[in-house]
Each structure stands twice: as C-alpha cells, then as structure tokens.
Amino acid sequence: MSSISEITKAGVVLLAAVGALTITIKALSFWRLIFDLYIRPGKSLKKFGAGTGAWAVITGASDGIGKEFAYQLAAAKFNVFLISRTESKLQDISNDIESKYQVKSRIYAMDFTKGDKRDYENLKEIIEELVDVGVLINNVATNHEIPTPFILETDEIVNNIVEVNISGLLRTTKIILPKMISSNRGLIINVGSFSGMIPTPYLSVYSASKAFMSTWSAALGAELKSKGIVVENVNTYFVVSAMSKIRRSSWLIPLPKPYVKSVLSKIGVPGGATHIPYSSNAYPSHAIANWIITSTFNLSFWVKQGLAQQEDIRKRALKKREREAAAAKAQ
Ligand SMILES: NC(=O)c1ccc[n+]([C@@H]2O[C@H](COP(=O)([O-])OP(=O)(O)OC[C@H]3O[C@@H](n4cnc5c(N)ncnc54)[C@H](OP(=O)(O)O)[C@@H]3O)[C@@H](O)[C@H]2O)c1
C-alpha cells in the first residue's frame, strides 16, 4: 500500500515539476518578447548607408506598405529607387519625396506578373548606374482575389502569384546582391506574412509563396551574414491596405505608417519569432499575436481555424459579387 502511495506522490511531484518548468519557459519567452519589443534597440539605418548617398530599392512602392517604406527611407536620407506597375503614381511619389527630403529618386514601371526578361535587363542597367545600394525592400506581392479552393482557382492567378511573389523576389534580389556584396554591407527586408507561418486554406498559393519567402530568407540570411548583409523576413499580420481590403485601423491592424516605423526601428530584433531564424515580428500587436499562436495550440489547430475563417470570408465575398452583378444588371 505504502509503495503505491509513494509512487502516486512521486507522480504528483513530477507533474508539478513539469508544470513549473513549462510555466517558467513560457514566462521567460514572454519576457524575451517584451524585452525585444520595448527595450532592445534595432540596428541603425546608418549601418546600411543612410545619409551617405546610398540607395534603397523598394518594389511595390506606389501604394500601401511599399509606399510607406519609400517615404520613411527617404526621410532617413536614402536615395530611393521605386518600382511598381503605375508610372504616374511612381512619378508623383518620386516628385513629392525629392521636394520633401532633398534626396534623389528614380522610378521604373514594370508588371512583375509578365516575367519579362527585358524588364529585368532594364532593372539591372539602372542598378549598375547606382553607385551604392544599401537597402532592398522586397515588398511587391499579389494574392488570390478572394479566398478560393485551389481546384477552382484560375491558372492566371496561380501563375501571377508564382511569377510576382517567387520569381520576382529571386530575380530582383539577384540583380541587387552584387552591389551589396561589393560594399560589404546591406539590408534586405522581405515583407512576409502570417500566412507563410500558418498554411492558409483557400489562399493556398499565396500562403505557400510566403512560406517560400520565409524559408529562403533564413537560408539566404545565413549565407550572407559573414558578408555584412542582414536579411529579414518580416512576419506580418493584417495592415490597412488595398491588398488586405481593410480600411479601418485597430490595435491589431495598423496603418502602413506605424507598421513600417516599427519595422525600421527593430532591424535585427526577432520580436519573439526565435523559432524561424532571420524572421522577425516588428509591430507589437503582431508580435503578441505571433507569441500566442506559437506558444499555445499546435499548427493543425490554427490551420483548422484558418479554414473556418477563410470559408466565411469566401461566402461573404461571393455574396458581394452576386450583389454587384445584380446591381450592374439593373443599370
Ligand atoms: N496588407 C496586409 O494586411 C498584409 C499582410 C501580410 C503581408 N502583406 C504583404 O505586404 C506587402 C505589401 O502589401 P500591401 O498590403 O501594401 O499591398 P498594396 O497596398 O496592394 O500595394 C501593392 C503594391 O505593389 C504594386 N504591385 C501590385 N502588383 C504588381 C505587379 N504585378 N507588378 C508590379 N507592382 C505591383 C502596387 O502598385 P501598382 O498597382 O501601381 O503596380 C502597389 O504599389 C505584400 O508583400 C503583402 O504580401 C500585407
């Protein structure tokens, strides 16, 4: 009898020890998150050439997050090279930036979905003319129009996502890297997504393209570290923008301005995302959401949540399409 009660006692002690250890690990990881977000400074942009005539290259620079990167990097005294489809928007932003911040700017209008060899040759020529490139913001991306089962998605949208989010990312970086390697320093920010961390049903191709970005960033970051080049996949939850189709900001969903400000002030600080090397969570509420996701349930749980969420968004998007089609017919 006494040996059974001793075994039970030992079991309780073991359980308590495991419980205490688990709580201590979680508490330490939460403290690490708070330290990263509110105390630990990021690397200075001066390390990458701010104020010395170096250039920052930004893809998808005419709207949303990319446009904000262009303004904030120009305010930090980088010359800026802006790339997106719409030349008129790029020209307006370029003029505004030059007059506001007294830096140089260049633009190039191209559609990354085309994968046109001539565009990349032209990009290469322009980049060769820039004496010093300190920063690359790989921001351009395209997404499914609405959440759509893979089997129903058009070949055009699937190809566009691969061409912009994967091929465009690789080809642009390959053009710019030699400049950074020759100056022994550089910063490559890849604008990632939570959907790269949690596989997202109904946005499967976009989600996989962002997983590609995160894996590639980690591998490239390790390759380039000894060459003085910092690579960072910025894990992003929602931000108000045309792509997110969210118009109002909230605690969890910032405007591009505070979002980009956080990213640029926390370079090299993981923000709790220690399980993915060379990845960071710069914006505080996104970092807290990431901490909750990675410290509570397993990935299968979050994939299931994502499935339910995307099914709901799809239903509402299809109803909206029906309403718009009926309204157009009535006119
Ligand atoms: N917003 C979010 O909630 C969120 C969340 C996670 C990750 N992200 C990531 O953040 C990045 C920026 O997204 P955003 O929300 O700022 O998007 P956005 O407001 O829609 O801006 C997209 C930018 O890319 C350009 N662009 C789009 N398609 C292009 C193409 N085929 N060729 C060349 N340029 C193109 C657009 O300009 P033109 O139309 O003039 O070409 C625009 O400048 C993306 O990588 C996205 O995956 C966003």
Side-chain angles (χ1 to χ4, degrees):
M1 281 301 277
S2 72
S3 71
I4 289 176
S5 77
E6 267 165 30
I7 290 169
T8 313
K9 231 184 192 173
V12 170
V13 170
L14 189 67
L15 270 181
V18 170
L21 187 67
T22 308
I23 290 169
T24 309
I25 290 170
K26 297 278 178 218
L28 282 175
S29 97
F30 193 71
W31 160 245
R32 165 91 197 266
L33 169 72
I34 299 300
F35 175 74
D36 275 4
L37 290 180
Y38 299 107
I39 301 168
R40 194 169 160 188
K43 289 184 198 300
S44 165
L45 286 173
K46 288 196 177 121
K47 279 206 160 105
F48 308 105
T52 63
W55 287 78
V57 181
I58 302 123
T59 65
S62 59
D63 208 349
I65 295 170
K67 180 177 167 184
E68 197 51 51
F69 268 114
Y71 274 88
Q72 293 193 26
L73 287 165
K77 295 289 175 210
F78 281 98
N79 297 320
V80 287
F81 178 25
L82 315 172
I83 308 162
S84 84
R85 277 173 305 194
T86 321
E87 188 158 2
S88 58
K89 284 205 239 168
L90 290 174
Q91 194 57 64
D92 288 348
I93 293 167
S94 161
N95 294 343
D96 193 35
I97 280 180
E98 284 190 356
S99 72
K100 269 196 179 119
Y101 303 112
Q102 288 80 51
V103 293
K104 290 184 207 154
S105 75
R106 292 192 68 160
I107 62 169
Y108 186 70
M110 68 180 272
D111 183 344
F112 281 89
T113 64
K114 304 271 183 264
D116 191 334
K117 210 174 139 211
R118 276 165 309 176
D119 276 326
Y120 290 102
E121 282 165 3
N122 292 340
L123 268 189
K124 200 169 175 195
E125 266 177 35
I126 299 173
I127 294 296
E128 272 162 13
E129 287 168 20
L130 309 179
V131 178
D132 182 9
V133 180
V135 177
L136 167 62
I137 310 288
N138 280 315
N139 167 76
V140 71
T142 189
N143 201 343
H144 303 260
E145 276 171 16
I146 64 168
T148 306
F150 177 66
I151 190 73
L152 297 181
E153 191 52 282
T154 64
D155 288 347
E156 191 189 358
I157 287 183
V158 170
N159 290 339
N160 285 350
I161 294 173
V162 172
E163 200 54 64
V164 180
N165 302 13
I166 298 180
S167 298
L169 168 74
L170 301 180
R171 293 172 85 171
T172 309
T173 309
K174 199 105 191 268
I175 288 171
I176 285 159
L177 257 183
K179 284 268 166 185
M180 293 183 169
I181 289 174
S182 68
S183 61
N184 286 313
R185 58 117 171 83
L187 169 65
I188 300 175
I189 290 182
N190 297 325
V191 184
S193 164
F194 269 41
S195 71
M197 173 175 70
I198 305 167
T200 312
Y202 293 77
L203 299 178
S204 63
V205 187
Y206 174 78
S207 172
S209 76
K210 291 297 180 178
F212 175 94
M213 180 182 247
S214 134
T215 300
W216 177 72
S217 300
L220 187 72
E223 279 179 31
L224 295 176
K225 193 175 176 191
S226 62
K227 297 181 169 52
I229 298 169
V230 173
V231 179
E232 198 154 307
N233 174 70
V234 189
N235 194 24
T236 309
Y237 188 62
F238 286 116
V239 173
V240 172
S241 81
M243 184 190 278
S244 68
K245 301 188 180 84
I246 298 173
R247 291 191 189 87
R248 244 179 297 156
S249 64
S250 63
W251 178 75
L252 196 55
I253 305 174
L255 292 166
K257 194 173 185 169
Y259 173 74
V260 169
K261 194 169 174 224
S262 291
V263 173
L264 292 178
S265 65
K266 288 288 177 184
I267 294 157
V269 177
T274 44
H275 60 296
I276 313 174
Y278 300 91
S279 203
S280 71
N281 295 279
Y283 191 73
S285 63
H286 290 187
I288 291 166
N290 174 73
W291 186 86
I292 292 169
I293 288 167
T294 53
S295 332
T296 53
F297 302 104
N298 64 19
L299 204 54
S300 306
F301 171 87
W302 295 109
V303 174
K304 214 168 145 193
Q305 299 304 307
L307 178 71
Q309 185 192 37
Q310 296 303 326
E311 273 171 348
D312 183 50
I313 296 172
R314 176 169 169 79
K315 263 188 214 147
R316 284 186 280 127
L318 288 176
K319 278 197 183 132
K320 189 174 172 220
R321 273 189 184 171
E322 274 172 27
R323 280 197 307 275
E324 283 169 356
K329 219 173 167 188
Q331 273 177 3

